[in-house]
Amino acid sequence: MTTGCTDICEKIHASALRLARDMGGVQIMEVCGTHTMAIARGGLRTILQPADIRLVSGPGCPVCVTDQSYIDRAVGLARNRPDIIVATYGDMVRVPGRQGSLSEARAVGARVEVVYSIQQALDLARQHADHEVVFLGVGFETTAPGTALAVRDARQEGLRNFSVLTAHKWVLPAMNALLAGGDVKIDAFLCPGHVSVILGYGAYDQIVRDYGRPCVVAGFDPQQVLLGVLEILDELSAGEPRAMTVYPSVSREGNARAREVLDEVFEIVDAPWRALGVIPASGMALRDEWAEFDAERRFDLPAEESYEMPGCRCGDVICGRLHPSECPLFARRCTVRDPVGPCMVSSEGACAAAFKYEMPARKR
Amino acid sequence: MDTSRIQLAHGGGGQLTAELIRDVILPALGGGQDPHALADAAVLETGGGRLAFTTDMYVVQPLEFPGGDIGKLAVCGTINDLAVCGAKPLALSMGLVLQEGLEIDLLQRVLDSAGRQARQAGIRVVTGDTKVVERSALDGIIVNTSGVGLIGADVRLGFDRIQSGDRVVLSGPLGEHGLAVMSQRKGLSFTADLVSDCAPLHELVSDLLDELGENLRFMRDPTRSGLAAVLADIAESRGVDIEIEESAIPAHRTARSAAEMLGLDLLQVANEGKLVAVVAEGAARRAVDVMRRHAIGSRAAVIGTIGPAGESPIVELATAAGGRRIVQMPYGEELPRIC
């Protein structure tokens, strides 16, 4: 055990003993796929659970929060239009929809290319002037600025065969929706590092003000997560919830320049989320000035209805109502090899993390 | 005619093939210009005993990467496959599939590198074959290497020799080959000091066999799917739990951060010059000392213990943060071609 972590864990346990008496255990929600993985890989639940601290995953994995209707649209584009190349981050490829997944579409001849950055999608458009390249714009404040910049580049360069099917989202409205719903016990939020670099931790003041929950930003290694938990416990003990950061790269103000780029290209719209329904002012849609780069308008895509895959409880998992291992499909019908829902598909999904790293019940 | 590139006719078996073998392949791999040096079949003296026989395909992209290339990788990989089953490598074959249009200079560099590695290791490339395919069928080069080696009469290694209480020893830092190749492909700039660990293990293994004898139970090189796959395989095949200590596992700082950035588990990343050995409890210190006498084993460490037998065995990792988690065989995610 690294010395830093030993010290933090001792303090956490001392603090949690007092809190367990007063609050009957503490439930902390993280809203960041990278945190989900750090927690699982570091085995942090095995450290915190004995102290009655429960870490639950919230709507922080971009693929997991994406509504099924979006998957169907993307698969439809790939299957029905031989002139279209769908460019996407790898995690989207295996999410099943009504017409199967993008990966299955590729197997029957559709052009689906996995890219590591949107710049590679622009390259595809440059190399294939005779094709339309549609980039699947999925993700939060972290990936959206890249999409905005790419759209600006495409206009400047006169790229006429590039567009984005956008499902970019703001994370704060989802956090608010969960608290407003009131059916999930959330004593505090462990806030995402990357998103907060853009937003600034000051953005969480509103949650502290309206709901009295600590909002602590942490970085991505286990030690950072433990530091964040310790800060949360200290705030709860003192009865003084705050928005703050233990991750030095995050400022109160965030990155105003990145937010300006977002504002230039995207407008704020109501957007559908898996399990949470349509959340007002939670999505990013391309502004009218950028309509030519909007795949939805360019290809006149019909609206698809929202639904869940039968039996899949991913919706409950991303709302923190269910631990992955409590889903009846977990590790039976739904595995990393043959996933039913996005939380098992995504490399940042709560179910994939639990499946790959968590100790089986008999050894806990 | 562009003589700097491979043409389909180079694989046709005629004059161009003969020239390619004489001018490019033999100088790199064989003994001088003797056209019979790389015959269709080689005859080897073994003096009896058990023979180990292995074959491997190499498809890595890019063909040249920091710390190695497809030629060096093929030679090391085959030597290592022989070494970890306790064999002293005798000879290798090398088959090449070349893309039409491939630069002959590049081919020359790769073959020189393969030849240099084989000579350094004291192992001959004794037979081979070359084919050329259309541009649309291949991007670059595919290498097949087979190898034979002799296993000493007293060498006994295998899953069945592993016992509860044995120790797991790792010869050096994890993940450098896989991450060097992947980060080059993805243009990660901060990984400049990360080079492939691609190296032959046979000398280190030979010393281990000599000095540990019966106390050396099992060896494997953690290539594709990394340490995780080797440990999961041991647990499954022998039906035992294994406990590993994360803070004992040697790893380059840059490798750790590159893995984190790419969302990979370092335990699942490929290596090409590392050895995992299971040794008797009392011989663990000795195994580490033997490995550390070699440059490639200078950071060798005891990383874990073989636990009791059980019905559904698991590999358990005590994390650096103080928690516990399981280690599984990776499920074949979409990984780039790294070997």
Side-chain angles (χ1 to χ4, degrees):
Chain A
M1 200 188 302
T2 55
T3 353
C5 287
T6 319
D7 289 351
I8 303 167
C9 290
E10 278 172 12
K11 288 180 186 157
I12 285 177
H13 279 257
S15 183
L17 276 179
R18 291 193 304 272
L19 278 170
R21 217 175 34 229
D22 302 342
M23 298 180 59
V26 177
Q27 181 144 303
I28 300 171
M29 175 175 278
E30 40 81 8
V31 276
C32 164
T34 318
H35 279 160
T36 307
M37 295 316 285
I39 290 164
R41 277 194 194 151
L44 301 191
R45 284 196 180 83
T46 63
I47 302 174
L48 297 175
Q49 233 140 20
D52 224 356
I53 303 167
R54 202 170 134 98
L55 295 178
V56 293
S57 297
C61 148
V63 174
C64 310
V65 300
T66 300
D67 193 68
Q68 281 297 126
S69 59
Y70 180 88
I71 311 287
D72 286 352
R73 281 183 149 187
V75 173
L77 268 180
R79 275 185 183 263
N80 304 332
R81 296 280 303 251
D83 59 324
I84 286 180
I85 299 174
V86 171
T88 174
Y89 297 129
D91 275 357
M92 287 295 288
V93 171
R94 291 175 64 215
V95 182
R98 281 185 174 152
Q99 291 190 72
S101 64
L102 286 166
S103 155
E104 286 162 314
R106 184 166 57 188
V108 294
R111 289 288 301 270
V112 178
E113 299 281 343
V114 170
V115 294
Y116 297 100
S117 76
I118 192 171
Q119 289 305 319
Q120 287 177 305
L122 286 177
D123 284 342
L124 279 173
R126 292 179 190 117
Q127 290 154 11
H128 300 276
D130 51 340
H131 280 73
E132 288 279 345
V133 172
V134 177
F135 176 73
L136 303 186
V138 167
F140 297 104
E141 291 88 335
T142 34
T143 50
T147 304
L149 288 172
V151 166
R152 288 207 321 195
D153 286 354
R155 169 167 289 173
Q156 197 164 11
E157 205 180 309
L159 263 185
R160 300 197 174 282
N161 61 332
F162 175 79
S163 59
V164 180
L165 186 61
T166 174
H168 285 303
K169 291 180 172 61
W170 303 94
V171 75
L172 264 164
M175 294 162 71
N176 272 288
L178 279 173
L179 288 170
D183 64 327
V184 185
K185 175 174 155 72
I186 302 170
D187 296 314
F189 281 111
L190 188 73
C191 298
H194 289 139
V195 163
S196 305
V197 167
I198 309 286
L199 284 182
Y201 65 84
Y204 305 106
D205 282 344
Q206 169 264 322
I207 289 187
V208 176
R209 198 173 54 238
D210 294 350
Y211 295 99
R213 304 294 203 278
C215 289
V216 176
V217 178
F220 306 108
D221 57 33
Q223 185 168 350
Q224 270 285 312
V225 172
L226 290 172
L227 261 183
V229 169
L230 179 59
E231 170 63 28
I232 285 170
L233 296 182
D234 286 348
E235 291 181 19
L236 288 173
S237 299
E240 289 169 8
R242 289 199 296 149
M244 62 86 70
T245 183
V246 296
Y247 185 43
S249 315
V250 171
S251 65
R252 167 162 276 283
E253 297 74 29
N255 185 338
R257 182 79 199 84
R259 291 198 304 270
E260 276 167 30
V261 174
L262 285 178
D263 185 52
E264 179 190 342
V265 174
F266 293 113
E267 60 181 330
I268 299 176
V269 294
D270 301 349
W273 295 59
R274 180 182 302 278
L276 291 161
V278 173
I279 302 180
S282 68
M284 303 183 204
L286 287 165
R287 291 184 180 280
D288 288 342
E289 304 92 282
W290 302 91
E292 60 189 286
F293 299 103
D294 186 349
E296 186 171 343
R297 285 184 261 192
R298 194 180 179 111
F299 303 108
D300 199 19
L301 295 177
E304 300 274 355
E305 78 178 297
S306 197
Y307 64 96
E308 291 285 339
M309 294 301 276
C312 175
R313 303 281 300 274
C314 279
D316 288 325
V317 169
I318 61 169
C319 293
R321 289 189 205 106
L322 199 72
H323 183 266
S325 64
E326 293 163 352
C327 172
L329 304 189
F330 181 78
R332 294 182 183 89
R333 242 185 72 209
C334 182
T335 62
V336 168
R337 195 183 315 196
D338 192 11
V340 174
C343 299
M344 189 62 93
V345 174
S346 171
S347 58
E348 298 193 331
C351 296
F355 186 84
K356 287 183 192 167
Y357 299 120
E358 281 189 4
M359 303 288 292
R362 69 185 170 86
K363 301 267 180 179
R364 266 180 221 149
Chain B
M1 187 177 76
D2 182 359
T3 56
S4 70
R5 290 179 184 277
I6 291 292
Q7 303 159 45
L8 281 172
H10 275 119
Q15 282 185 24
L16 271 181
T17 307
E19 278 176 31
L20 184 73
I21 293 175
R22 187 191 66 209
D23 298 339
V24 178
I25 298 178
L26 280 182
L29 299 179
Q33 302 273 312
D34 173 7
H36 301 294
L38 284 184
D40 284 342
V43 180
L44 306 169
E45 295 295 338
T46 66
R50 285 178 295 165
L51 199 63
F53 180 33
T54 181
T55 193
D56 260 298
M57 307 291 301
Y58 294 87
V59 298
V60 64
Q61 281 288 349
L63 297 169
E64 299 175 290
F65 46 83
D69 54 72
I70 193 170
K72 180 181 178 187
L73 187 67
V75 169
C76 292
T78 303
I79 289 175
N80 293 347
D81 282 351
L82 292 170
V84 295
C85 62
K88 180 183 183 317
L90 266 186
L92 307 180
S93 73
M94 180 169 284
L96 300 168
V97 184
L98 309 176
Q99 172 213 336
E100 170 196 13
L102 182 78
E103 285 173 40
I104 292 182
D105 275 354
L106 172 60
L107 175 65
Q108 185 78 67
R109 285 201 300 278
V110 163
L111 290 177
D112 282 346
S113 164
R116 198 178 315 120
Q117 188 61 61
R119 277 191 298 279
Q120 273 172 17
I123 294 153
R124 287 181 307 144
V125 179
V126 292
T127 183
D129 187 35
T130 305
K131 294 285 189 291
V132 179
V133 295
E134 292 82 356
R135 233 170 251 278
S136 57
L138 176 66
D139 177 18
I141 307 176
I142 294 176
V143 180
N144 167 267
T145 38
S146 296
V148 287
L150 277 177
I151 303 178
D154 50 349
V155 173
R156 283 176 53 234
L157 298 167
F159 289 121
D160 59 329
R161 299 216 46 237
I162 296 172
Q163 296 168 23
S164 287
D166 283 354
R167 294 290 190 263
V168 182
V169 183
L170 176 65
S171 69
L174 279 188
E176 290 164 2
H177 173 69
L179 290 166
V181 175
M182 275 188 268
S183 57
Q184 205 196 26
R185 200 157 350 161
K186 292 182 186 174
L188 300 187
S189 50
F190 72 96
T191 53
D193 57 337
L194 209 55
V195 296
S196 165
D197 60 344
C198 179
L201 291 163
H202 63 302
E203 288 173 357
L204 182 152
V205 164
S206 167
D207 285 358
L208 275 181
L209 285 165
D210 287 349
E211 302 205 20
L212 267 71
E214 288 273 299
N215 287 327
L216 182 61
R217 320 280 205 204
F218 175 88
M219 291 185 290
R220 185 71 75 75
D221 54 335
T223 54
R224 270 186 305 176
S225 295
L227 178 65
V230 173
L231 297 176
D233 203 13
I234 294 174
E236 166 102 26
S237 302
R238 186 64 179 134
V240 288
D241 287 348
I242 303 177
E243 183 164 337
I244 300 296
E245 192 78 43
E246 188 175 26
S247 49
I249 298 174
H252 197 291
R253 181 190 292 268
T254 317
R256 281 195 203 282
S257 41
E260 199 148 298
M261 183 162 170
L262 294 168
L264 300 169
D265 181 354
L266 200 55
L267 269 55
Q268 299 185 346
V269 178
N271 312 274
E272 201 43 85
K274 294 297 180 297
L275 181 73
V276 179
V278 179
V279 304
E281 182 182 357
R285 200 59 250 166
R286 184 83 185 277
V288 169
D289 290 342
V290 171
M291 288 182 183
R292 286 188 177 171
R293 292 209 298 261
H294 297 260
I296 54 170
S298 62
R299 291 184 63 190
V302 179
I303 60 164
T305 304
I306 303 294
E311 286 230 329
S312 45
I314 59 167
V315 181
E316 190 175 330
L317 181 79
T319 69
R324 312 187 77 77
R325 68 147 161 112
I326 56 168
V327 175
Q328 292 191 78
M329 184 80 75
Y331 278 79
E333 272 101 313
E334 287 194 30
L335 285 178
R337 286 146 57 188
I338 46 179
C339 56

